[in-house]
Each structure stands twice: as structure tokens, then as C-alpha cells.
Amino acid sequence: MTILWTSAEIEAATGGRASAAFEASGVTFDSREVGPGDLFVAMPGTVADGHDFVLSAFAAGASGAIVSHAVEGPHVLVEDVAAALAALAVAARARCSGVVIGITGSVGKTSTKEALYAALDRGCRGQVHRSVKSYNNHTGVPLSLARMPRDSHFAVLEMGMNNAGEIAALTRLVRPNIAIVTSIAAAHIENLGSMEAIAAAKAEIFEGLEEDGVAIVPEETPHRDQLVKAARRHAGEIITFGGSQADVAALHAVRADNGGSLITARLMESDLTYTISQRGDHWVTNSLAVLAAVEAAHCDLALAGLALADMGGLKGRGERHRIALDGGSALLIDESYNANAASMAATLKSLGEERGVDRRIAVLGPMREVGEHGDALHAGLAPGILDAKVDRLILIGDEFRPLETALEGAVAIDQATNADEATALLLAMIAPGDVILVKASNSVGLAALVERVAGGQPCFT
């Protein structure tokens, strides 16, 4: 196994004291994820303290631990475990000589991160590091950095936020050479108060840019100029993507045979024709952000295009399940991980573009953290639902009452109070030829619905 950290390096980074010499090949703060050779970081928590799981981490094969009080087994003793993890992240970034790419945005940051990882890895197999899952907050970002191999040629790291100032702190840890804002939408508007404040919070990512760093900004947003102005203070170069006037733009985009898109894009120095396997106009835009970053990193664009064509579905973000039924099958599209007005509109549009469909069903859970804007944002889904020719709606929660009023009986609606009730309703109505969109904020728990309805049946793109 490749050595990620030695106990001496951990001591030097954190100012701690090692009880014995050891070497670690991985890092985790979740005892359920511990594998042989891992460093277990005993993070404090509001529900559970990581120190309570140190022994089980060693039993699972951990080679050492970072702790704030002495334990049985090899460890580095520090005053503050969370601060020690951040210090380890700083040390990991300092020893990295590769290109580090930071990504944030209201919509599409995880999908863009995964697509960019695939594009870079196609040309540098095994030498590209990325955040796993959605590890994008004050603990996830330091963990992702601490896991970064010292010889990484590229790293793609996601940054999220709930409040102003959070991305500023994260980007100073990441110190990206390239910083991407994917989009601006009404996510977390309850905390931030306005779209302008959301844009300002996302633009904080540029504050950590390395000297002569590149800022990549969406063209088709009312906040484009605000983002560009913020980027100019820190970036050596600004690249826009997504609109007809952007530096990186789609000259042509048509539906491909696999349901994705065939695109000819104008890049900074050349044109490229490529296919993406993912469905929807939002994925066309995501792919342009990816190619802008690949070009800025001076990597092989042709290989990036091949990687985009080969990408499979992402769990909770468009993964597609074929469900076997008596007399045929149904298709379930899993968008259960996240929801805001922009992503709802994009996925509803994709639902409307599905071919060979007998009936379109949408299982929708509420959008969270929208505060006083909630009624208007939920009611505002009505045009997209009608345009998509949705035949049946399952709506979860009282937040959708304004949407019911806006639809005025144009669509058959079933109400559910939680994910379990929505699951029962769906199972009772599903039939061959149906295509089902499942979309909600992650906290609604519709991933459990997908698991129950789709089970372990094969996924396809």
C-alpha cells in the first residue's frame, strides 16, 4: 500500500506527539469506513465522540489515530482533533505540486466534479484525486485534502456552504489553481436573504486562488457580472462558459441516440465535437464547464470528450433504473439527492423529453432552506410540470399546497406526508411504460424510496 502519512509527518503537521511510529495509507473520521492501514481521526461531535470508536477502528485495521486524550494503540496526541485535521489538510496541500481545481455552485457542483474527475483521469489514470460523496463542508474538505496522495497530478475538490464566509475559509485551505462556479440559484436563500448574497458567497471561492489562477464563471446567469468582478480581484484569467457569448460555448447540441447529447463546442483555442451520456440541457452546460477546466489545465480535450461519453449515472443525481414488472418494465430516474428551483426545472424538462413513454410520474419532495420564498418557489414549478406533460404527481409535505393551487386540477395529484407514504403510493400505481422522476432535497429521504422501488436491479445510462 502507498504510504500517505507517517506518524512523524503527522506530528510535524499538527504539533502533536506520537505514542509510537506508524504509517497510514488512508484517512477517515468514520469508524464504519476504516480499512487496513487507515488513520482514524477521532473527531468530536454533537451526537457521538470519535474517541468512543477508537478501539473499533483499530479492530478494523487502523494503523493509528489522531486523538485528544491517550488511548490504547498507536496514536498522535493533539489538543484539538478538528484543528489537527485542518493542519493535516494544510500540509497535504503544501506538498502537492499538481493542479488543484476547486468547484462550487448552487446546482451541479458534485456532478461537475465527477465529470471533471473522469475527464482528467482518462489521460492520467490513477493520478487524479477528488472529494468523495459530497464531502464539501468544514470537515469534508479538510478530510478530502488529507486523503490527497502526495504525487497527485490533479485534485478536484468540491466546496459547499450554508452561510456567507464558509467558502472563504474552505478555499484558503484548498488554494485552487482553477476555481469554478457552476451556477447561481435560490439554494440557502433562507440563510443568505437574496440571490445577490448567494452569488457573493459563491464568489468567495476566488479568494483562495493561487497566483495567476483561473476563474471559470457561468455566462447565463443574471449574476455573471458580479461573479466576474469578484474574480478580477484574484484571478490571472477569467473564462466564461455556457452562453452563446461565452468563451466556451455550445455551437450545436442535438439529442444523441443514447438519449444524451451530441455537442460541438467552441473552446478557447479550438472546437471540439463530443458526446455526453447524461440527459438534459443542464448536462450540456456542465460539460462546457468541465472542458473549460480541462483546457485551462492544459490536458487532452479529445480524451476528456471520450470520458464524458462513457460516464454512467450518478447515484441520486440522474442514475436510471429499469424496473421489471409483469407485462413490461418502468424507468425510474433518481434525482433524490438535492433540489432547488433551478435543478427542479432542469430535471422536469428532461422528464418531458423522454421518448416512448406511456405515462410520466413525478415524485417530488420539498425544497429546503428557502424560508419566506418557499410558497413562490414551490408554486413556480407549475409551468415546468405542465410543459413536461406530467400525468401524475406525488407531492410530499404541506410546502406543495401553493403548487396544487397553481396547477388548478390540471394534473392528478396524490399527497403524502413522508417518504414512506410516497413509496406506498408509487408502488400501488406503477405500471409498465411509466417513467418516474424522483426529486427532493436530500433531507426528505427519497433515497430510501428509490432503494425500495428499484432495489438492486441494474442501472443504465
Side-chain angles (χ1 to χ4, degrees):
M1 292 185 290
T2 303
I3 302 305
L4 188 61
W5 296 101
T6 67
S7 54
E9 289 172 330
I10 299 168
E11 278 186 313
T14 65
R17 185 175 73 254
S19 66
F22 63 87
E23 296 175 334
S25 55
V27 183
T28 185
F29 49 49
D30 187 339
S31 61
R32 297 166 297 183
E33 296 180 353
V34 172
D38 279 351
L39 171 69
F40 177 63
V41 183
M43 292 285 283
T46 55
V47 177
D49 187 337
H51 291 82
D52 296 337
F53 302 95
V54 170
L55 292 180
S56 62
F58 282 127
S63 60
I66 295 179
V67 295
S68 59
H69 58 257
V71 296
E72 292 294 327
H75 62 270
V76 174
L77 184 65
V78 300
E79 289 188 7
D80 184 319
V81 174
L85 178 60
L88 205 62
V90 169
R93 180 63 182 91
R95 73 186 185 185
C96 175
S97 59
V99 175
V100 177
I101 303 170
I103 299 178
T104 192
S106 301
V107 183
K109 54 184 176 290
T110 301
S111 299
T112 301
K113 176 203 69 181
E114 292 296 322
L116 181 53
Y117 168 79
L120 295 171
D121 190 61
R122 190 65 168 247
C124 297
R125 294 287 189 194
Q127 296 174 312
V128 184
H129 175 68
R130 76 188 188 282
S131 312
V132 299
K133 302 179 182 177
S134 289
Y135 281 0
N136 62 19
N137 63 6
H138 65 287
T139 55
V141 170
L143 178 65
S144 296
L145 280 165
R147 289 173 164 176
M148 182 167 61
R150 64 189 77 219
D151 59 350
S152 296
H153 286 199
F154 299 95
V156 186
L157 300 168
E158 178 181 339
M159 287 171 262
M161 61 85 187
N162 293 311
N163 294 285
E166 293 176 351
I167 288 177
L170 298 176
T171 192
R172 290 187 175 99
L173 284 178
V174 172
R175 289 168 39 211
N177 303 101
I178 300 169
I180 303 170
V181 175
T182 60
S183 60
I184 303 298
H188 311 301
I189 196 167
E190 179 181 23
N191 299 335
L192 291 160
S194 70
M195 296 294 290
E196 290 75 17
I198 292 171
K202 297 299 183 183
E204 291 172 8
I205 193 173
F206 304 133
E207 296 175 15
L209 273 169
E210 291 287 87
E211 186 176 359
D212 297 323
V214 179
I216 298 177
V217 173
E219 177 75 20
E220 288 194 319
T221 171
H223 308 285
R224 180 254 191 211
D225 291 347
Q226 181 183 355
L227 293 172
V228 168
K229 182 179 179 180
R232 283 198 186 111
R233 302 188 189 105
H234 309 282
E237 181 181 8
I238 300 171
I239 300 172
T240 60
F241 72 91
S244 61
Q245 302 303 310
D247 299 313
V248 177
L251 301 175
H252 305 285
V254 296
R255 184 164 180 149
D257 290 341
N258 68 351
S261 297
L262 174 64
I263 305 161
T264 298
R266 181 187 68 241
L267 305 176
M268 297 291 287
E269 297 182 1
S270 64
D271 291 352
L272 179 71
T273 297
Y274 62 101
T275 300
I276 57 172
S277 58
Q278 311 292 344
R279 292 157 169 81
D281 293 344
H282 57 298
W283 263 103
V284 175
T285 303
N286 289 347
S287 74
L288 295 172
V290 167
L291 293 177
V294 170
E295 189 172 35
H298 307 292
C299 290
D300 192 314
L301 287 162
L303 289 178
L306 292 175
L308 292 171
D310 290 343
M311 269 193 73
L314 304 177
K315 187 176 180 63
R317 294 179 173 87
E319 191 174 58
R320 299 162 73 85
H321 301 258
R322 181 61 69 180
I323 302 167
L325 301 167
D326 289 340
S329 66
L331 169 65
L332 186 147
I333 304 169
D334 177 13
E335 288 277 0
S336 62
Y337 189 81
N338 195 19
N340 54 50
S343 64
M344 282 278 199
T347 51
L348 284 166
K349 183 179 179 184
S350 294
L351 175 64
E353 293 171 350
E354 291 291 332
R355 298 173 180 171
V357 173
D358 289 340
R359 187 172 59 160
R360 294 178 176 86
I361 300 172
V363 183
L364 304 182
M367 299 176 280
R368 302 297 195 197
E369 297 185 28
V370 292
E372 63 185 20
H373 306 274
D375 285 356
L377 290 172
H378 286 95
L381 300 177
I385 289 167
L386 296 174
D387 289 346
K389 296 180 173 60
V390 173
D391 298 289
R392 196 81 176 261
L393 277 172
I394 298 176
L395 301 178
I396 302 170
D398 291 338
E399 293 93 334
F400 280 115
R401 297 298 181 191
L403 174 59
E404 289 188 68
T405 300
L407 288 170
E408 297 181 334
V411 180
I413 297 175
D414 291 277
Q415 270 284 346
T417 59
N418 55 45
D420 287 341
E421 286 187 15
T423 302
L425 287 167
L426 180 60
L427 287 172
M429 72 175 66
I430 190 171
D434 287 345
V435 59
I436 304 140
L437 170 67
V438 179
K439 181 74 172 171
S441 291
N442 190 42
S443 61
V444 179
L446 288 189
L449 178 149
V450 174
E451 181 62 28
R452 281 190 60 192
V453 176
Q457 298 187 64
C459 306
F460 68 99
T461 58

